[in-house]
Amino acid sequence: MRICIINPNSDAAMTAVIRENAQNFAAGRFEVDCLTNETGPAFIGCYEDMHACEAGMVALIKERQAAYDAFIVACHSDPGLDLLKEISTKPVVGICEASVKLATMLGHSFSVLSTSMRAVPNKQALCRKYGVEASLASVVGPDGATPDWENPDNLIRLGRRAVEQDGCEVLVLGCAGMGHVAARMGEELGVPVLDGVTCALMVAQGLVQAGLTTSKKRRYHAKQTD
Amino acid sequence: MRICIINPNSDAAMTAVIRENAQNFAAGRFEVDCLTNETGPAFIGCYEDMHACEAGMVALIKERQAAYDAFIVACHSDPGLDLLKEISTKPVVGICEASVKLATMLGHSFSVLSTSMRAVPNKQALCRKYGVEASLASVVGPDGATPDWENPDNLIRLGRRAVEQDGCEVLVLGCAGMGHVAARMGEELGVPVLDGVTCALMVAQGLVQAGLTTSKKRRYHAKQTD
Amino acid sequence: MRICIINPNSDAAMTAVIRENAQNFAAGRFEVDCLTNETGPAFIGCYEDMHACEAGMVALIKERQAAYDAFIVACHSDPGLDLLKEISTKPVVGICEASVKLATMLGHSFSVLSTSMRAVPNKQALCRKYGVEASLASVVGPDGATPDWENPDNLIRLGRRAVEQDGCEVLVLGCAGMGHVAARMGEELGVPVLDGVTCALMVAQGLVQAGLTTSKKRRYHAKQTD
Amino acid sequence: MRICIINPNSDAAMTAVIRENAQNFAAGRFEVDCLTNETGPAFIGCYEDMHACEAGMVALIKERQAAYDAFIVACHSDPGLDLLKEISTKPVVGICEASVKLATMLGHSFSVLSTSMRAVPNKQALCRKYGVEASLASVVGPDGATPDWENPDNLIRLGRRAVEQDGCEVLVLGCAGMGHVAARMGEELGVPVLDGVTCALMVAQGLVQAGLTTSKKRRYHAKQTD
Amino acid sequence: MRICIINPNSDAAMTAVIRENAQNFAAGRFEVDCLTNETGPAFIGCYEDMHACEAGMVALIKERQAAYDAFIVACHSDPGLDLLKEISTKPVVGICEASVKLATMLGHSFSVLSTSMRAVPNKQALCRKYGVEASLASVVGPDGATPDWENPDNLIRLGRRAVEQDGCEVLVLGCAGMGHVAARMGEELGVPVLDGVTCALMVAQGLVQAGLTTSKKRRYHAKQTD
Amino acid sequence: MRICIINPNSDAAMTAVIRENAQNFAAGRFEVDCLTNETGPAFIGCYEDMHACEAGMVALIKERQAAYDAFIVACHSDPGLDLLKEISTKPVVGICEASVKLATMLGHSFSVLSTSMRAVPNKQALCRKYGVEASLASVVGPDGATPDWENPDNLIRLGRRAVEQDGCEVLVLGCAGMGHVAARMGEELGVPVLDGVTCALMVAQGLVQAGLTTSKKRRYHAKQTD
């Protein structure tokens, strides 16, 4: 089995973080390649960034249809996910969709850790799109002058607040670049901490093994070209 | 990795069907044992049957906490699932929860094939509990004097009606004993057909590999005994 | 008319509290017996406790089908309620279902007072199951090192917080053993305070007088035994 | 205990039907008076009719605050119900609210029998207002040139269709003037058939016995006049 | 085009505020008349007030059917709106409905500024009726002993709290008499501030230009009189 | 006032239909330009088409920020609407969002006429995104071998079925190219028929006159570039 993870942004350092997480999970059981979308924006923080990464992802996935068994979109905004499910005959898994749906299987409610307050409404909108809003305890983000979500201590502090004040029982990391904090955060806070890339690999791996892929019946029926 | 599947009812023939499906999916990648709940009822068709299978499952899971990495409840009514998540430190996956939540990742809407009209309301109630009611196209069941859902032709006819009349894009098999029909149904109808046992194995396998389990924070905090 | 109240736990002192409340309400208009489920757990605080009280309740209700006109499950987690509705031809009323649905008739929103923070998610899940989540202002529980919900002053303090901070207009006592506080709390806080046992008696009494009982059409159709 | 039922319309014949039903239920246990709102319209079939009956009901209830323990609005559109809850310190129960909420305690889903297709949207809107839309199987009304819902055979035919085609498990009579058909319909169709007047009496009787009434905290706080 | 705005209360000073706002918006493009409902209450703060203003509005609208192209109900409780849509063949627009639905087009979430805490539940209920509850961040009202919502500084302070604490992106003024504060509040807070009268004029003007009016198919079918 | 309508596809004939409708509505009161997105696909029937039209629309809108007071996206899938709201300081109105939200003000429920069954799920998803799913009676599309939705007779037949079978009270035309049928359909079927382009103009015109535009607080905050 070969799974292709696409980092929708052009930040090779983030791709490296994603790749390391992915290979830790794959552990040699399957091949996983982690590609940087070189025509994408440096960071995906708004709708314009999401748009800017889609053409590159379409090209990457179309060219590699035969080479991979499944594709993963490694940005927690799930940019272009409906589009990519449509153009691919192989499964395409978004890290937001996979993580928030798995979160509902592990506890009564979950909170999402966001890289910024700016992204909170979009994460709420995604949770509503995915039908998990009744299980969403909160979306929390860095506040104060220097957000600096890349500092693990800050992230863990945010997570603790979600557990203690918002009553969440599961934490979902709201950015593909947060995965390396998952283990330590889980230990310190005593709740499951879900990294989206790991969750998407769980789903993708399973779909490939089961021979399942996106329904092509109506919503994701590929465009007819001839 | 060792996964334990429990057939909540006492029907060893159904256990055999489940076991065969499970081993096809596991394909030697992990060990999977499939146990019959010998103190359970012969078939699970109502709340009294669900109750009757719970004590046996509690005992099976408590005795095997150390021996397995995850447990699967192989009845599409998910009998006792909240209870079993609570008593186990290892992941417990219900085949209804796993299959309906994965279904929402593969298409716009899904239908569940039920073994009887009697079970339709409970399946609707479970879909509401799991927050997937907005994606539920229909629950369909055998009608007429002789339901005979064990006949694959009848099941496929039911599935076709759901696709054509109710507009579903994904089918979910509503009984652990239907799994052997999934492949043929998928080919004939051209939509993903989800077998609950396979879906639960996908989730359980992934959770074990990722080192995740049920949150013990509040809802599923085990009873303190000392 | 004879109504049977079952205290699902084995705590005879709690049964005595329930009995006194019930007889105050019945006021000689109908007979009400209040039974302790002697095989149940001492307190019902988790899913394992709920499971542990079901077999005893099934036996109590089956043996007494002819002797009573209605049955009441006197624990605010409504343990086994679907099961008991199914096995009985007589009405079975849960004190949570009765109280939260009546609460929606008396004000814009209600809060539930819980015996512990541990029970909050389950009470939220029940309110969602019963379709009253849009009217649920909050579920509040004791915090701090010594919860001691049995102290009326603490309970009233909790209720006041729900009224003032969460904006609820009606309070629902979240435990069968809290009923004796209802009158004083109502007077001090100036809102209706609903005791579940009283609410269940209101519903059960009315159903018996009207000759109504659970529909046996599909969801609660009793198991065929022959 | 004295309960006052108000027929919001001016049709004394309908008042007589309501009175007979009410006294059958009261059975001498409490006093029940059934008043015709003489300034109301002959039939309540639209918003203008609802408006036209409100002033009369306000006057009737204000004049009788001391004389009765509870008031019932005996039209299944619950005309003016929020208003009447606000002006009265005694409980005011609407027959729609009481019947659809009790219906959810007796089965998985219910259907409402309407006197006309014209009234279907308003009944759907009321069910949404009362938070029971997830349990509403359908609202059915007479079709064809001569509706004639007063013919019991037609009503029973409508109810049968709701049970068989829409899968409802409980029927709610959508007009105060249908109560006399409840018993026969229940026997023929084998499901609980809820008459709104009876349901409202069940609730009102219980509230009075429990010493409960509408919360005056915010939504139904009476206008200050001095 | 001639649009008739009705101030449902009898406060001519409030009518003057509304008129000035309306004429600023109309800016000579269409005629707008602003009528005081002289038989209405001095202020509309509860259901009894809403009831008390309906008869006058019915009369005003019926008498002016031919004279105007559209009618606007200028109270943010939308008193009698269903009734007025039914009796009029011309469009009738409520300022609450227009403003909260337009708010959802301008941002992720909105908050409503209420004249009192007393009115909060009714505004929540209206938002639920109009299907915008998922976009409602909060309803905020004056607290403390002297609410004095007519003081613009207080209103702006309330709005700021909604933006900063509740995360709303759009503000909706919850009273027809607040419109003169909209511009200043928008400038100070940096978010769109919606005045209901302006929003209703936007909708009414458009409907008239497009030749559209309320559907008379079922829910708002006028009473047949002959 | 100058409003810019963008036909997201490259079909100049459809642009001509849109332009004619728009100018009929504008009637000289304001300027309206109707642009063809020349780099867009010939028709927008799937996610890939939506993606393919976005870059062109971004360019058209960015270049014309100063020249127009508002922009309209004239495709009933609202392609790129969140993106375009974000990049523009002027209002951007989608014809689906405007029409379905206005539809809820004109009747109890509405149906959308789709150009194909393929588009039904996406229209359902949009209605859910916009929070109007409770008012959505149905999405209907052409069936049979030759859909030919461009034939007005076929469209009217579809609309009639929605009114008669699905009980809708308002019809929404699900394609920008259907607008010329609105008047005749409304006359024949006796319900309001909403053309999206007209509805978007109603909203855009009003927003410009009121000096309102998209909130830039969080969800639609434009990307910082410097």
Side-chain angles (χ1 to χ4, degrees):
Chain A
M1 182 183 353
R2 294 185 68 202
I3 293 179
C4 177
I5 299 179
I6 301 175
N7 173 13
N9 71 39
S10 60
D11 179 355
M14 192 178 280
T15 310
V17 170
I18 295 169
R19 182 180 296 119
E20 190 182 334
N21 271 352
Q23 286 176 341
N24 282 345
F25 179 79
R29 291 186 307 272
F30 54 86
E31 282 181 69
V32 56
D33 290 336
C34 204
L35 310 182
T36 301
N37 177 20
E38 306 207 344
T39 63
F43 183 76
I44 296 178
C46 62
Y47 289 108
E48 192 164 13
D49 293 335
M50 290 187 229
H51 169 67
C53 72
E54 289 177 7
M57 289 200 291
V58 167
L60 285 171
I61 289 180
K62 285 197 169 180
E63 289 160 9
R64 286 162 180 78
Q65 277 294 293
Y68 289 99
D69 296 300
F71 298 88
I72 286 171
V73 180
C75 165
H76 214 267
S77 302
D78 284 354
L81 187 59
D82 283 323
L83 162 63
L84 302 175
K85 285 182 178 178
E86 178 184 285
I87 64 161
S88 175
T89 59
K90 304 291 175 62
V92 181
V93 182
I95 69 170
C96 178
E97 184 173 18
S99 58
V100 299
K101 289 184 176 173
L102 284 172
T104 65
M105 299 195 210
L106 295 179
H108 177 70
S109 62
F110 66 92
S111 290
V112 180
L113 304 189
S114 171
T115 57
S116 70
M117 293 308 289
R118 165 72 175 77
V120 170
N122 189 49
K123 290 192 183 301
Q124 292 171 331
L126 278 177
C127 285
R128 179 167 155 76
K129 175 180 176 182
Y130 296 142
V132 298
E133 68 272 35
S135 302
L136 181 65
S138 60
V139 184
V140 295
D143 31 29
T146 318
D148 188 18
W149 60 267
E150 301 193 53
N151 180 332
D153 292 334
N154 287 347
L155 265 184
I156 290 172
R157 189 170 43 81
L158 266 180
R160 190 183 306 278
R161 200 178 69 197
V163 171
E164 292 177 359
Q165 292 181 18
D166 304 328
C168 77
E169 300 183 7
V170 177
L171 288 168
V172 173
L173 301 175
C175 176
M178 290 176 178
H180 56 297
V181 187
R184 191 185 133 202
M185 190 182 295
E187 276 165 33
E188 292 199 15
L189 302 183
V191 296
V193 176
L194 302 192
D195 166 49
V197 175
T198 304
C199 292
L201 281 168
M202 289 162 57
V203 171
Q205 165 193 241
L207 292 173
V208 173
Q209 290 167 349
L212 291 166
T213 189
T214 306
S215 178
K216 292 295 163 176
K217 206 62 187 178
R218 294 201 299 175
R219 183 162 175 177
Y220 299 110
H221 188 66
K223 186 172 183 172
Q224 301 309 312
T225 54
D226 50 1
Chain B
M1 183 182 354
R2 295 184 68 200
I3 293 178
C4 176
I5 300 178
I6 301 174
N7 173 13
N9 70 40
S10 60
D11 178 356
M14 192 177 282
T15 309
V17 170
I18 295 168
R19 182 180 295 119
E20 190 181 335
N21 272 351
Q23 287 176 339
N24 282 345
F25 179 79
R29 289 186 308 274
F30 53 84
E31 282 182 71
V32 55
D33 290 336
C34 204
L35 309 182
T36 300
N37 177 20
E38 306 207 344
T39 63
F43 184 76
I44 296 177
C46 63
Y47 289 107
E48 192 164 13
D49 293 335
M50 289 187 231
H51 168 68
C53 71
E54 288 178 7
M57 290 199 290
V58 168
L60 285 171
I61 289 181
K62 286 197 169 181
E63 290 160 9
R64 286 162 180 78
Q65 276 294 294
Y68 290 99
D69 296 298
F71 297 88
I72 287 171
V73 179
C75 165
H76 214 268
S77 303
D78 284 353
L81 187 59
D82 284 321
L83 162 65
L84 302 175
K85 286 183 178 178
E86 178 184 284
I87 63 161
S88 175
T89 59
K90 305 290 176 64
V92 180
V93 182
I95 69 171
C96 178
E97 183 172 20
S99 57
V100 299
K101 289 184 176 174
L102 285 171
T104 66
M105 299 196 209
L106 295 179
H108 177 71
S109 62
F110 66 91
S111 290
V112 179
L113 304 189
S114 170
T115 56
S116 69
M117 294 308 289
R118 165 72 176 75
V120 169
N122 189 49
K123 290 188 182 305
Q124 292 171 332
L126 277 176
C127 285
R128 180 167 156 75
K129 175 180 175 182
Y130 295 143
V132 299
E133 67 273 34
S135 301
L136 180 64
S138 60
V139 182
V140 294
D143 32 29
T146 317
D148 189 16
W149 61 265
E150 300 193 54
N151 180 332
D153 292 335
N154 287 348
L155 264 184
I156 291 172
R157 189 171 43 80
L158 265 181
R160 190 185 306 278
R161 198 178 72 198
V163 171
E164 293 178 357
Q165 292 180 18
D166 304 327
C168 77
E169 299 182 8
V170 177
L171 289 168
V172 172
L173 301 175
C175 176
M178 290 175 176
H180 57 295
V181 187
R184 191 183 135 203
M185 191 182 294
E187 276 166 32
E188 293 199 17
L189 302 183
V191 296
V193 176
L194 301 193
D195 166 48
V197 174
T198 303
C199 292
L201 281 168
M202 291 162 57
V203 171
Q205 165 193 239
L207 292 174
V208 173
Q209 289 166 350
L212 291 166
T213 189
T214 306
S215 177
K216 293 294 161 177
K217 206 64 188 175
R218 293 202 298 176
R219 182 161 176 177
Y220 300 111
H221 188 67
K223 185 171 184 173
Q224 301 309 313
T225 54
D226 48 1
Chain C
M1 183 182 354
R2 295 185 67 203
I3 293 180
C4 176
I5 300 179
I6 301 174
N7 173 13
N9 70 40
S10 59
D11 179 356
M14 191 177 284
T15 308
V17 170
I18 297 169
R19 182 180 296 117
E20 189 181 336
N21 272 351
Q23 286 175 340
N24 283 345
F25 179 80
R29 291 185 309 273
F30 54 86
E31 283 181 69
V32 55
D33 291 336
C34 205
L35 310 182
T36 300
N37 178 19
E38 307 206 343
T39 63
F43 183 75
I44 296 179
C46 64
Y47 289 108
E48 192 164 12
D49 292 335
M50 290 187 228
H51 168 68
C53 72
E54 288 176 10
M57 289 199 291
V58 167
L60 286 171
I61 289 180
K62 285 197 169 180
E63 289 161 9
R64 287 161 180 77
Q65 277 294 294
Y68 289 99
D69 296 299
F71 297 88
I72 286 172
V73 179
C75 164
H76 214 267
S77 303
D78 284 355
L81 186 59
D82 283 322
L83 162 64
L84 302 175
K85 285 183 178 177
E86 178 185 285
I87 63 161
S88 175
T89 59
K90 304 291 175 64
V92 180
V93 182
I95 69 170
C96 178
E97 184 172 19
S99 57
V100 298
K101 290 183 176 175
L102 284 171
T104 66
M105 299 196 210
L106 294 179
H108 177 70
S109 61
F110 66 91
S111 291
V112 180
L113 303 189
S114 171
T115 56
S116 70
M117 293 308 289
R118 165 71 176 76
V120 170
N122 189 50
K123 291 191 182 304
Q124 292 172 331
L126 278 177
C127 284
R128 180 166 155 77
K129 175 179 176 182
Y130 295 142
V132 298
E133 67 273 34
S135 301
L136 180 65
S138 60
V139 183
V140 295
D143 30 30
T146 317
D148 189 17
W149 60 266
E150 300 192 55
N151 180 332
D153 292 334
N154 287 347
L155 264 184
I156 290 172
R157 189 172 41 83
L158 265 182
R160 190 183 307 277
R161 199 178 71 196
V163 171
E164 292 177 358
Q165 292 180 18
D166 304 328
C168 78
E169 300 183 7
V170 177
L171 289 168
V172 172
L173 300 175
C175 176
M178 291 175 177
H180 56 297
V181 186
R184 190 185 135 204
M185 191 182 294
E187 276 165 34
E188 293 200 16
L189 302 183
V191 296
V193 176
L194 302 192
D195 165 48
V197 174
T198 305
C199 292
L201 282 168
M202 289 162 58
V203 172
Q205 166 193 239
L207 292 174
V208 173
Q209 290 166 348
L212 291 166
T213 189
T214 306
S215 177
K216 294 293 164 178
K217 206 61 187 178
R218 293 201 299 174
R219 184 162 174 177
Y220 299 110
H221 188 67
K223 185 170 184 174
Q224 303 308 312
T225 53
D226 50 358
Chain D
M1 184 183 353
R2 293 185 68 202
I3 293 178
C4 176
I5 300 178
I6 301 174
N7 173 15
N9 71 40
S10 60
D11 179 356
M14 191 177 283
T15 309
V17 169
I18 295 169
R19 181 180 297 116
E20 189 181 337
N21 271 350
Q23 287 176 338
N24 283 344
F25 178 80
R29 291 186 307 271
F30 53 86
E31 282 181 72
V32 56
D33 289 336
C34 204
L35 310 182
T36 299
N37 177 21
E38 307 207 344
T39 63
F43 183 76
I44 296 178
C46 63
Y47 290 107
E48 193 164 14
D49 293 335
M50 289 187 229
H51 168 68
C53 72
E54 289 177 8
M57 290 199 291
V58 168
L60 286 171
I61 289 180
K62 285 196 169 182
E63 290 160 8
R64 287 162 180 77
Q65 277 294 294
Y68 290 98
D69 297 298
F71 297 88
I72 286 172
V73 180
C75 165
H76 215 267
S77 304
D78 284 353
L81 187 59
D82 283 322
L83 163 64
L84 301 174
K85 286 183 178 177
E86 178 184 282
I87 63 162
S88 175
T89 58
K90 304 291 176 64
V92 181
V93 182
I95 69 170
C96 178
E97 184 173 18
S99 57
V100 299
K101 289 183 176 174
L102 285 172
T104 66
M105 299 196 211
L106 295 179
H108 176 72
S109 61
F110 66 90
S111 291
V112 179
L113 303 189
S114 170
T115 57
S116 70
M117 293 309 289
R118 165 71 176 77
V120 170
N122 189 49
K123 291 189 181 305
Q124 292 172 332
L126 278 177
C127 285
R128 179 167 156 76
K129 176 180 176 182
Y130 296 142
V132 299
E133 68 272 36
S135 302
L136 180 64
S138 60
V139 183
V140 295
D143 33 28
T146 316
D148 189 16
W149 60 267
E150 301 194 54
N151 179 332
D153 292 335
N154 287 348
L155 263 185
I156 291 172
R157 189 171 42 82
L158 266 180
R160 189 184 306 280
R161 200 179 70 196
V163 171
E164 292 177 358
Q165 291 180 20
D166 304 328
C168 77
E169 300 182 6
V170 177
L171 288 167
V172 173
L173 300 175
C175 176
M178 290 176 176
H180 57 295
V181 186
R184 190 185 135 203
M185 191 183 294
E187 276 166 33
E188 293 199 17
L189 302 183
V191 296
V193 176
L194 301 193
D195 166 48
V197 174
T198 304
C199 292
L201 282 168
M202 289 162 58
V203 172
Q205 167 194 238
L207 292 173
V208 173
Q209 290 166 349
L212 291 166
T213 188
T214 307
S215 177
K216 293 294 163 177
K217 204 65 187 175
R218 292 202 299 175
R219 183 162 176 176
Y220 300 110
H221 188 68
K223 186 172 184 171
Q224 301 309 313
T225 55
D226 49 0
Chain E
M1 182 186 348
R2 295 185 69 202
I3 293 179
C4 177
I5 299 179
I6 301 174
N7 173 14
N9 70 40
S10 60
D11 178 356
M14 192 177 281
T15 309
V17 170
I18 296 169
R19 181 181 296 117
E20 190 181 335
N21 271 351
Q23 286 175 340
N24 282 345
F25 179 79
R29 291 187 308 272
F30 54 85
E31 284 182 69
V32 56
D33 290 336
C34 204
L35 310 182
T36 300
N37 177 22
E38 307 205 345
T39 63
F43 183 75
I44 297 178
C46 63
Y47 289 107
E48 191 163 16
D49 292 335
M50 291 187 228
H51 169 68
C53 72
E54 288 178 8
M57 290 200 290
V58 168
L60 286 171
I61 289 181
K62 285 196 169 181
E63 288 160 10
R64 287 161 179 78
Q65 276 295 293
Y68 289 99
D69 297 299
F71 298 88
I72 287 172
V73 180
C75 165
H76 215 266
S77 303
D78 284 354
L81 187 59
D82 283 322
L83 162 64
L84 302 175
K85 285 183 178 178
E86 178 185 284
I87 64 161
S88 175
T89 60
K90 305 290 176 62
V92 180
V93 182
I95 69 170
C96 178
E97 183 172 20
S99 57
V100 299
K101 289 184 177 175
L102 284 172
T104 65
M105 299 197 210
L106 295 179
H108 177 70
S109 62
F110 65 91
S111 290
V112 180
L113 303 188
S114 172
T115 56
S116 69
M117 294 307 290
R118 164 72 175 79
V120 170
N122 189 47
K123 291 191 182 303
Q124 292 171 333
L126 277 177
C127 285
R128 180 167 155 76
K129 175 180 175 182
Y130 295 143
V132 299
E133 68 273 33
S135 301
L136 180 65
S138 59
V139 183
V140 294
D143 31 31
T146 317
D148 189 17
W149 61 266
E150 300 193 54
N151 180 331
D153 293 333
N154 287 347
L155 264 184
I156 291 172
R157 189 170 44 81
L158 265 182
R160 191 184 306 278
R161 199 178 70 195
V163 171
E164 293 177 358
Q165 292 180 19
D166 304 329
C168 78
E169 300 183 8
V170 177
L171 288 168
V172 173
L173 300 175
C175 176
M178 291 176 176
H180 57 296
V181 187
R184 191 185 135 203
M185 190 183 295
E187 276 165 34
E188 294 199 16
L189 302 184
V191 297
V193 177
L194 302 192
D195 166 48
V197 174
T198 305
C199 291
L201 281 168
M202 290 162 57
V203 172
Q205 166 192 239
L207 291 174
V208 173
Q209 290 166 348
L212 291 166
T213 189
T214 306
S215 178
K216 294 293 165 178
K217 206 61 187 179
R218 293 201 298 175
R219 182 160 174 177
Y220 299 110
H221 188 68
K223 185 170 184 175
Q224 301 309 311
T225 53
D226 50 0
Chain F
M1 183 183 352
R2 294 185 69 201
I3 293 179
C4 176
I5 300 179
I6 301 174
N7 173 12
N9 71 40
S10 60
D11 179 356
M14 192 177 281
T15 309
V17 170
I18 296 168
R19 181 180 296 117
E20 190 180 336
N21 272 352
Q23 288 177 339
N24 282 345
F25 179 80
R29 291 185 308 271
F30 54 85
E31 283 181 71
V32 56
D33 291 336
C34 204
L35 309 182
T36 301
N37 178 19
E38 306 206 345
T39 63
F43 184 75
I44 296 178
C46 62
Y47 290 106
E48 193 164 13
D49 293 335
M50 289 186 229
H51 169 67
C53 73
E54 289 177 7
M57 290 200 291
V58 168
L60 286 171
I61 288 180
K62 285 197 168 180
E63 289 160 9
R64 287 162 179 78
Q65 276 294 294
Y68 289 98
D69 296 300
F71 297 88
I72 287 172
V73 180
C75 166
H76 215 268
S77 303
D78 284 355
L81 187 58
D82 284 320
L83 163 65
L84 301 174
K85 286 183 178 177
E86 178 184 283
I87 64 162
S88 176
T89 59
K90 305 292 176 62
V92 181
V93 182
I95 68 171
C96 177
E97 185 172 18
S99 58
V100 299
K101 289 183 176 174
L102 284 171
T104 65
M105 299 196 210
L106 295 179
H108 176 71
S109 62
F110 66 91
S111 291
V112 180
L113 304 188
S114 171
T115 57
S116 69
M117 293 308 290
R118 164 72 175 77
V120 170
N122 188 49
K123 290 189 182 304
Q124 292 171 332
L126 277 176
C127 286
R128 178 165 157 77
K129 175 179 176 182
Y130 296 143
V132 298
E133 69 272 33
S135 301
L136 180 65
S138 59
V139 183
V140 295
D143 31 30
T146 316
D148 189 16
W149 61 266
E150 301 194 51
N151 180 332
D153 292 334
N154 287 347
L155 264 185
I156 291 172
R157 189 171 41 81
L158 265 181
R160 190 183 306 278
R161 200 180 69 196
V163 172
E164 293 178 357
Q165 291 180 19
D166 304 327
C168 77
E169 300 184 7
V170 177
L171 288 168
V172 173
L173 300 175
C175 176
M178 290 174 177
H180 56 296
V181 188
R184 190 185 136 204
M185 191 183 294
E187 277 167 32
E188 293 199 16
L189 302 183
V191 295
V193 176
L194 301 193
D195 166 47
V197 174
T198 304
C199 292
L201 282 168
M202 291 162 57
V203 172
Q205 165 193 241
L207 292 174
V208 173
Q209 291 166 349
L212 291 167
T213 188
T214 306
S215 177
K216 293 293 164 177
K217 206 63 187 177
R218 294 200 298 174
R219 181 160 176 179
Y220 299 111
H221 188 67
K223 185 172 184 172
Q224 302 309 311
T225 55
D226 51 0

